[in-house]
mmCIF file with all atom_site columns, all heavy atoms in Angstrom:
data_model
loop_
_atom_site.group_PDB
_atom_site.id
_atom_site.type_symbol
_atom_site.label_atom_id
_atom_site.label_alt_id
_atom_site.label_comp_id
_atom_site.label_asym_id
_atom_site.label_entity_id
_atom_site.label_seq_id
_atom_site.pdbx_PDB_ins_code
_atom_site.Cartn_x
_atom_site.Cartn_y
_atom_site.Cartn_z
_atom_site.occupancy
_atom_site.B_iso_or_equiv
_atom_site.pdbx_formal_charge
_atom_site.auth_seq_id
_atom_site.auth_comp_id
_atom_site.auth_asym_id
_atom_site.auth_atom_id
_atom_site.pdbx_PDB_model_num
ATOM 1  N N   . ARG A 1 46  ? 27.445 26.240 -42.124 1.00 97.00 ? 88  ARG A N   1
ATOM 2  C CA  . ARG A 1 46  ? 28.582 25.303 -42.171 1.00 97.00 ? 88  ARG A CA  1
ATOM 3  C C   . ARG A 1 46  ? 28.890 24.903 -43.607 1.00 97.00 ? 88  ARG A C   1
ATOM 4  O O   . ARG A 1 46  ? 30.013 24.561 -43.943 1.00 97.00 ? 88  ARG A O   1
ATOM 5  C CB  . ARG A 1 46  ? 28.253 24.025 -41.403 1.00 97.00 ? 88  ARG A CB  1
ATOM 6  C CG  . ARG A 1 46  ? 27.954 24.224 -39.942 1.00 97.00 ? 88  ARG A CG  1
ATOM 7  C CD  . ARG A 1 46  ? 27.669 22.880 -39.280 1.00 97.00 ? 88  ARG A CD  1
ATOM 8  N NE  . ARG A 1 46  ? 28.877 22.082 -39.221 1.00 97.00 ? 88  ARG A NE  1
ATOM 9  C CZ  . ARG A 1 46  ? 29.087 21.005 -39.961 1.00 97.00 ? 88  ARG A CZ  1
ATOM 10 N NH1 . ARG A 1 46  ? 28.143 20.567 -40.797 1.00 97.00 ? 88  ARG A NH1 1
ATOM 11 N NH2 . ARG A 1 46  ? 30.216 20.345 -39.882 1.00 97.00 ? 88  ARG A NH2 1
ATOM 12 N N   . GLU A 1 157 ? -2.247 27.800 -58.852 1.00 98.00 ? 199 GLU A N   1
ATOM 13 C CA  . GLU A 1 157 ? -0.959 28.386 -58.452 1.00 98.00 ? 199 GLU A CA  1
ATOM 14 C C   . GLU A 1 157 ? -0.847 28.465 -56.934 1.00 98.00 ? 199 GLU A C   1
ATOM 15 O O   . GLU A 1 157 ? 0.231  28.254 -56.370 1.00 98.00 ? 199 GLU A O   1
ATOM 16 C CB  . GLU A 1 157 ? -0.751 29.769 -59.083 1.00 98.00 ? 199 GLU A CB  1
ATOM 17 C CG  . GLU A 1 157 ? -0.506 29.735 -60.590 1.00 98.00 ? 199 GLU A CG  1
ATOM 18 C CD  . GLU A 1 157 ? 0.644  28.808 -61.004 1.00 98.00 ? 199 GLU A CD  1
ATOM 19 O OE1 . GLU A 1 157 ? 1.718  28.874 -60.383 1.00 98.00 ? 199 GLU A OE1 1
ATOM 20 O OE2 . GLU A 1 157 ? 0.451  28.012 -61.953 1.00 98.00 ? 199 GLU A OE2 1
ATOM 21 N N   . ALA A 1 178 ? 17.243 16.194 -37.249 1.00 98.00 ? 220 ALA A N   1
ATOM 22 C CA  . ALA A 1 178 ? 18.413 15.314 -37.272 1.00 98.00 ? 220 ALA A CA  1
ATOM 23 C C   . ALA A 1 178 ? 19.619 15.954 -36.594 1.00 98.00 ? 220 ALA A C   1
ATOM 24 O O   . ALA A 1 178 ? 20.394 15.273 -35.918 1.00 98.00 ? 220 ALA A O   1
ATOM 25 C CB  . ALA A 1 178 ? 18.753 14.919 -38.709 1.00 98.00 ? 220 ALA A CB  1
ATOM 26 N N   . ARG F 1 46  ? 8.354  25.799 -64.491 1.00 97.00 ? 212 ARG F N   1
ATOM 27 C CA  . ARG F 1 46  ? 7.215  26.726 -64.445 1.00 97.00 ? 212 ARG F CA  1
ATOM 28 C C   . ARG F 1 46  ? 7.530  27.909 -63.547 1.00 97.00 ? 212 ARG F C   1
ATOM 29 O O   . ARG F 1 46  ? 6.970  28.997 -63.698 1.00 97.00 ? 212 ARG F O   1
ATOM 30 C CB  . ARG F 1 46  ? 5.981  26.026 -63.861 1.00 97.00 ? 212 ARG F CB  1
ATOM 31 C CG  . ARG F 1 46  ? 5.506  24.831 -64.619 1.00 97.00 ? 212 ARG F CG  1
ATOM 32 C CD  . ARG F 1 46  ? 4.274  24.247 -63.960 1.00 97.00 ? 212 ARG F CD  1
ATOM 33 N NE  . ARG F 1 46  ? 3.146  25.154 -64.075 1.00 97.00 ? 212 ARG F NE  1
ATOM 34 C CZ  . ARG F 1 46  ? 2.630  25.826 -63.062 1.00 97.00 ? 212 ARG F CZ  1
ATOM 35 N NH1 . ARG F 1 46  ? 3.106  25.672 -61.839 1.00 97.00 ? 212 ARG F NH1 1
ATOM 36 N NH2 . ARG F 1 46  ? 1.630  26.658 -63.266 1.00 97.00 ? 212 ARG F NH2 1
ATOM 37 N N   . TYR F 1 146 ? 23.629 8.349  -34.620 1.00 98.00 ? 312 TYR F N   1
ATOM 38 C CA  . TYR F 1 146 ? 24.941 8.774  -35.120 1.00 98.00 ? 312 TYR F CA  1
ATOM 39 C C   . TYR F 1 146 ? 26.028 7.778  -34.720 1.00 98.00 ? 312 TYR F C   1
ATOM 40 O O   . TYR F 1 146 ? 26.961 7.520  -35.481 1.00 98.00 ? 312 TYR F O   1
ATOM 41 C CB  . TYR F 1 146 ? 25.280 10.170 -34.574 1.00 98.00 ? 312 TYR F CB  1
ATOM 42 C CG  . TYR F 1 146 ? 24.506 11.274 -35.263 1.00 98.00 ? 312 TYR F CG  1
ATOM 43 C CD1 . TYR F 1 146 ? 23.310 11.742 -34.743 1.00 98.00 ? 312 TYR F CD1 1
ATOM 44 C CD2 . TYR F 1 146 ? 24.971 11.842 -36.445 1.00 98.00 ? 312 TYR F CD2 1
ATOM 45 C CE1 . TYR F 1 146 ? 22.588 12.756 -35.363 1.00 98.00 ? 312 TYR F CE1 1
ATOM 46 C CE2 . TYR F 1 146 ? 24.255 12.861 -37.083 1.00 98.00 ? 312 TYR F CE2 1
ATOM 47 C CZ  . TYR F 1 146 ? 23.065 13.312 -36.537 1.00 98.00 ? 312 TYR F CZ  1
ATOM 48 O OH  . TYR F 1 146 ? 22.366 14.301 -37.173 1.00 98.00 ? 312 TYR F OH  1
ATOM 49 N N   . GLU F 1 157 ? 30.396 14.448 -41.038 1.00 98.00 ? 323 GLU F N   1
ATOM 50 C CA  . GLU F 1 157 ? 30.100 15.137 -42.301 1.00 98.00 ? 323 GLU F CA  1
ATOM 51 C C   . GLU F 1 157 ? 29.333 14.205 -43.238 1.00 98.00 ? 323 GLU F C   1
ATOM 52 O O   . GLU F 1 157 ? 28.436 14.645 -43.976 1.00 98.00 ? 323 GLU F O   1
ATOM 53 C CB  . GLU F 1 157 ? 31.390 15.646 -42.974 1.00 98.00 ? 323 GLU F CB  1
ATOM 54 C CG  . GLU F 1 157 ? 32.031 16.824 -42.263 1.00 98.00 ? 323 GLU F CG  1
ATOM 55 C CD  . GLU F 1 157 ? 31.077 17.990 -42.027 1.00 98.00 ? 323 GLU F CD  1
ATOM 56 O OE1 . GLU F 1 157 ? 30.365 18.387 -42.981 1.00 98.00 ? 323 GLU F OE1 1
ATOM 57 O OE2 . GLU F 1 157 ? 31.031 18.497 -40.889 1.00 98.00 ? 323 GLU F OE2 1
#
Side-chain angles (χ1 to χ4, degrees):
Chain A
R88 299 181 69 251
E199 290 306 313
Chain F
R212 300 181 67 251
Y312 285 94
E323 288 307 312

